[in-house]
Amino acid sequence: MSTDDQVASVGKASAGKLAILYDGSCAMCRASLDGIRQFDNSGKMEPLDLHHEDVRAQFPELKLENLLEELHAVDENGRVYRGARAINEILRRQNGLKGYLAYLWYIPGYAWLADRQYKRIAASRYARDASGRMKGQPAAE
C-alpha cells in the first residue's frame, strides 16, 4: 500500500467493509467478536483490535478512551457507529433473514432499550468472563 493509499483510507473501512474496532484485551469482547464472525454471512465485517498501532493510526480521530468504552464500527465512508447502534449496523449488513433483524431498531422504544442494555453490560465487561457471566459466578445448570 502506498503512502497515498494509506492517507486515503484514514478513518474509513476498506472498500465494501465495515470495520469493527474491538478491545482485544477483553475476554468478553473477543468472545463477542467470535459470535459476530459465526453470525456473519455477508463477508463484509473487518474486525480490528483497537490495541494494534496500525489500527489506531488508521482511525486517529477516534479517542482510545471512547473506543474502550463501547464497540465502534466504521464504514467505508467514515461514518462511525457506537455501542448498540454498531451491533445494529452489523445486523443491517447481513444477507437474507438475518439482515431483517436490523429493522427491530425502528420499533418504538427498541433503540433506547438496546442502547441501555448495551451500556449496562459494557460497563461491567472487565468483571465478566468470555461467556458474559460475572467472574466467580457459578454456571447455570
Side-chain angles (χ1 to χ4, degrees), residues 40-112:
D40 180 33
N41 66 7
S42 70
K44 296 177 182 174
M45 301 301 113
E46 182 179 23
L48 303 169
D49 185 341
L50 62 90
H51 293 292
H52 292 159
E53 280 186 42
D54 56 333
V55 172
R56 297 288 300 120
Q58 184 178 349
F59 301 94
E61 71 284 358
L62 299 177
K63 300 208 180 310
L64 182 59
E65 59 268 14
N66 295 335
L67 290 169
L68 291 171
E69 190 174 296
E70 59 188 348
L71 179 72
H72 282 60
V74 183
D75 68 16
E76 64 185 352
N77 296 315
R79 282 185 293 249
V80 179
Y81 307 92
R82 295 173 175 87
R85 183 64 182 93
I87 301 297
N88 191 66
E89 191 62 21
I90 292 166
L91 291 172
R92 193 181 74 74
R93 292 169 184 265
Q94 299 307 303
N95 298 318
L97 290 174
K98 288 182 176 182
Y100 288 112
L101 292 172
Y103 288 102
L104 291 171
W105 195 259
Y106 301 103
I107 295 173
Y110 180 84
W112 178 84

Side-chain angles (χ1 to χ4, degrees), residues 6-26:
Q6 288 175 336
V7 171
S9 69
V10 169
K12 299 178 182 180
S14 300
K17 300 282 186 176
L18 181 69
I20 302 169
L21 284 74
Y22 72 97
D23 182 354
S25 68
C26 166

